[in-house]
Amino acid sequence: MKTILGLSMRPALFALCCCALAACSQKPPAADWALNAESAADRATQAYLKADQRVQALEWSKARAEVERTASPQLLARLALMRCAVEHASLQWEGCSEYQALAIDADPPEQAYALYLQAAAMAPQAIALLPEAQQAVARAGDAKAALAAVQAIKAPLSRLLAASMALRAHGPTAGLLAEAVDTAAGQGWRRPLLAWLLLSVREARRRGDEDQAQRMERRVQVLQGQMRPGPQHSTTPAASANALP
């Protein structure tokens, strides 16, 4: 059973909670709060990635309200980290303030994940508590190893988060930026794609590669709808005739 911190963003993010509360071996039906919370969190994640601010705020609020029904700060901490991780994948490196208010009650895997999101130094024991997909990135000793670890991750959002963490740990490389841009573009995720494209523009200019910078800028323009043709004017014979001097 997958933990929320696997960041695949599949709707099973609260399956662990349901299983622990009701004995896995008997395979009971999931509680309604868990089903509601997982559904809202999934919708919030997709809305955030698509840059729909209103919907993502509403759905995160619904997910939190459902988890609050359990009176479990551990589960709230897990949900807060999920939201923070999605934001980090879009290069929004905020301080995860919602998690910090719950950190004192967080379980060891969540504490380890919070360290990972902070780009803090991690002991081997803490890295072992991370989702398997993120462990190789956390252990990577240089940019080349980090890129290889990122490219090995199959789930797009997990890959994008890993790219963000590799960026913080080892700095931007052309290969890492290309991997992140391709991942976000392949899913049609406007918010992270814009962030990674803008970073790519800055890095290309820093390297003196103006052609690459302009290519990335054109992609930004397409993403923002700035390359659409203007209104078409009538060119019917009658209209043309009337326009003659």
Side-chain angles (χ1 to χ4, degrees), residues 73-97:
Q74 292 88 351
L75 296 182
L76 271 183
R78 187 177 298 180
L79 181 67
L81 281 176
M82 179 183 182
R83 183 174 186 175
C84 189
V86 174
E87 293 171 352
H88 277 49
S90 299
L91 304 184
Q92 297 297 310
W93 295 330
E94 304 298 336
C96 297
S97 58

Side-chain angles (χ1 to χ4, degrees), residues 112 122-131 134-136 138-139:
M122 299 182 69
Q125 301 92 314
I127 292 176
L129 295 176
L130 294 175
Q134 304 296 327
Q135 291 181 19
R139 282 194 290 262

Side-chain angles (χ1 to χ4, degrees), residues 13 36 45-46 70 86 94 111 139 141 145-146 167 173 175 205 237:
L13 69 118
N36 294 339
T45 296
Q46 293 303 317
T70 69
V86 174
E94 304 298 336
Q111 294 174 6
R139 282 194 290 262
L167 173 66
T173 65
R205 290 222 161 92

Side-chain angles (χ1 to χ4, degrees), residues 46-66:
Q46 293 303 317
Y48 180 86
L49 295 171
K50 295 174 183 176
D52 190 331
Q53 188 69 19
R54 183 188 66 82
V55 172
Q56 70 94 15
L58 176 64
E59 295 299 338
W60 281 124
S61 179
K62 289 180 180 179
R64 181 182 177 92
E66 291 295 336

Side-chain angles (χ1 to χ4, degrees), residues 3-7 109 113 116 127-136 158:
T3 168
I4 173 177
L5 299 179
L7 294 176
Y113 206 80
Y116 180 59
I127 292 176
L129 295 176
L130 294 175
E132 185 176 355
Q134 304 296 327
Q135 291 181 19
S158 290

Side-chain angles (χ1 to χ4, degrees), residues 12-198:
L13 69 118
F14 283 96
L16 178 59
C17 313
C18 301
C19 192
L21 290 173
C24 278
S25 60
Q26 298 177 14
K27 295 184 179 179
D32 63 345
W33 70 264
L35 295 175
N36 294 339
E38 71 187 26
S39 179
D42 188 61
R43 291 193 299 270
T45 296
Q46 293 303 317
Y48 180 86
L49 295 171
K50 295 174 183 176
D52 190 331
Q53 188 69 19
R54 183 188 66 82
V55 172
Q56 70 94 15
L58 176 64
E59 295 299 338
W60 281 124
S61 179
K62 289 180 180 179
R64 181 182 177 92
E66 291 295 336
V67 177
E68 286 173 344
R69 293 169 57 191
T70 69
S72 171
Q74 292 88 351
L75 296 182
L76 271 183
R78 187 177 298 180
L79 181 67
L81 281 176
M82 179 183 182
R83 183 174 186 175
C84 189
V86 174
E87 293 171 352
H88 277 49
S90 299
L91 304 184
Q92 297 297 310
W93 295 330
E94 304 298 336
C96 297
S97 58
E98 188 176 353
Y99 168 78
Q100 295 302 328
L102 301 159
I104 191 171
D105 291 309
D107 290 330
E110 282 71 35
Q111 294 174 6
Y113 206 80
L115 286 176
Y116 180 59
L117 294 181
Q118 295 163 15
M122 299 182 69
Q125 301 92 314
I127 292 176
L129 295 176
L130 294 175
E132 185 176 355
Q134 304 296 327
Q135 291 181 19
V137 177
R139 282 194 290 262
D142 56 37
K144 183 178 180 179
L147 176 58
V150 169
Q151 292 173 330
I153 298 174
K154 294 181 179 179
L157 190 51
S158 290
R159 190 186 316 132
L160 209 54
L161 173 64
S164 175
M165 296 298 98
L167 173 66
R168 295 186 72 178
H170 305 288
T173 65
L176 182 67
L177 295 177
E179 185 68 29
V181 166
D182 288 348
T183 297
Q187 299 300 311
W189 289 336
R190 295 176 58 87
R191 189 188 298 268
L193 179 55
L194 179 60
W196 284 98
L197 282 173
L198 291 175

